[in-house]
Amino acid sequence: MPRLREDAGRSTVNRVMKQLDAWVARHGNGKYERGDWVPMQDFMIPDDAGIQQDRDEIKEFVSLLLSRKRLGTALEVGLGYYGSTHFLWRLLFKRIITIEKSHERIRIFGTNMRAFHDRWALGDRRSAFIIGMSYEPATVAKTYQVACGGVDLLFIDGDHQYASVLTDWLLYSPLVKPGGLIAFHDVGLTVPGHYGVPEFLARLAAGAIDGRKRTLTTIRRTKHLGVACYEQ
Ligand SMILES: C[S@@+](CC[C@H](N)C(=O)[O-])C[C@H]1O[C@@H](n2cnc3c(N)ncnc32)[C@H](O)[C@@H]1O
């Protein structure tokens, strides 16, 4: 029986990944991010990967999510170039809320979704987009209005500076229901003054943020990417 359940779980993960692969193949350079680049400086632009995630890492995270009881609402900070994680959460959760500062990226995501599904898939009202900086009062108020019943996943993948991750965590982790997951992307990205996810997570695990130690699960197959999460 457990073996049967394991096989069923594996086939669901593969089904989800097949749909994600099809989406990624049609956007940007058509590839997953590899996470082994030299971190950029401000005057550079990166190659526009179809998703800003490593395939093995996100597959492992999908498998972890599918092992959980409740996949009601996901809240994400950061849509990215092609909204590919929002697309992924739609395959797993009933409702998805994304906070994104770029109206243009949200608009293009709608167009791309219509082209992919051959219909206005967003008409199902499962997706909500909150336009603005995650730390702006209007954004916070709107998010709390839309997510008022609480969320089962918070995925922080916006601006990866230490202060920004701290701010997003302070503002939105209270929305996560007991037993829900709080996850962070780019857990390997360290460039002093630019990216501070590793520093934030080290402090969080040590209880040096709010006096409570969190036990983190880390999925890391690349040098600079990786996902870490803990249960609320
Ligand atoms: C790394 S990308 C997200 C990648 C996406 N989750 C994926 O895997 O394909 C970060 C996104 O967050 C947005 N962003 C950065 N800081 C933000 C903030 N404080 N509030 C809202 N959006 C932000 C950027 O415009 C960008 O679209």
Side-chain angles (χ1 to χ4, degrees):
M1 197 65 176
R3 175 76 196 273
L4 274 179
R5 221 175 294 135
E6 229 173 74
D7 288 349
R10 232 192 323 264
S11 83
T12 311
V13 174
N14 288 335
R15 207 163 350 105
V16 168
M17 290 308 293
K18 202 172 156 193
Q19 293 183 70
L20 184 61
D21 289 346
W23 170 270
V24 170
R26 283 179 61 161
H27 296 100
N29 66 9
K31 295 181 188 145
Y32 285 75
E33 192 77 74
R34 285 179 34 238
D36 55 359
W37 74 95
V38 177
M40 290 184 311
Q41 292 161 353
D42 290 343
F43 53 84
M44 297 170 80
I45 59 161
D47 194 3
D48 62 336
I51 187 169
Q52 289 161 271
Q53 306 285 328
D54 170 76
R55 190 178 189 280
D56 289 340
E57 289 175 356
I58 202 69
K59 182 178 177 184
E60 205 173 321
F61 190 54
V62 165
S63 172
L64 188 156
L65 288 171
L66 284 169
S67 71
R68 316 215 31 108
K69 273 196 227 95
R70 227 183 24 224
L71 297 176
T73 301
L75 169 62
E76 165 186 78
V77 180
L79 185 71
Y81 296 135
Y82 300 106
S84 303
T85 41
H86 186 107
F87 174 89
L88 171 62
W89 311 139
R90 279 180 59 93
L91 301 174
L92 300 168
F93 290 83
K94 290 195 182 77
R95 214 163 63 101
I96 302 89
I97 305 162
T98 291
I99 303 171
E100 167 61 46
K101 65 180 177 183
S102 162
H103 194 174
E104 186 63 2
R105 287 189 176 178
I106 296 169
R107 195 187 59 74
I108 291 170
F109 178 67
T111 306
N112 289 344
M113 279 289 275
R114 182 176 45 215
F116 186 81
H117 292 286
D118 235 350
R119 66 190 163 82
W120 185 243
L122 296 177
D124 62 12
R125 304 174 73 93
R126 292 174 47 228
S127 288
F129 302 94
I130 300 182
I131 307 164
M133 298 301 290
S134 54
Y135 52 78
E136 280 168 355
T139 307
V140 179
K142 192 76 198 263
T143 305
Y144 271 71
Q145 187 190 327
V146 176
C148 70
V151 305
D152 303 296
L153 169 69
L154 168 64
F155 190 74
I156 298 179
D157 191 14
D159 170 340
H160 299 93
Q161 295 184 56
Y162 177 91
S164 309
V165 180
L166 169 66
T167 304
D168 287 343
W169 176 80
L170 283 170
L171 289 173
Y172 301 112
S173 65
L175 277 172
V176 180
K177 297 178 195 167
L181 285 183
I182 296 163
F184 305 83
H185 191 239
D186 293 319
V187 305
L189 204 50
T190 314
V191 178
H194 285 274
Y195 305 114
V197 188
E199 185 190 345
F200 174 80
L201 293 176
R203 284 169 173 257
L204 192 65
I209 303 280
D210 62 352
R212 267 180 66 202
K213 293 183 182 175
R214 307 307 200 288
T215 306
L216 294 166
T217 299
T218 301
I219 298 170
R220 176 108 178 261
R221 309 273 186 100
T222 55
K223 191 164 175 216
H224 297 302
L225 304 176
V227 180
C229 62
Y230 71 90
E231 194 174 296
Q232 181 82 301

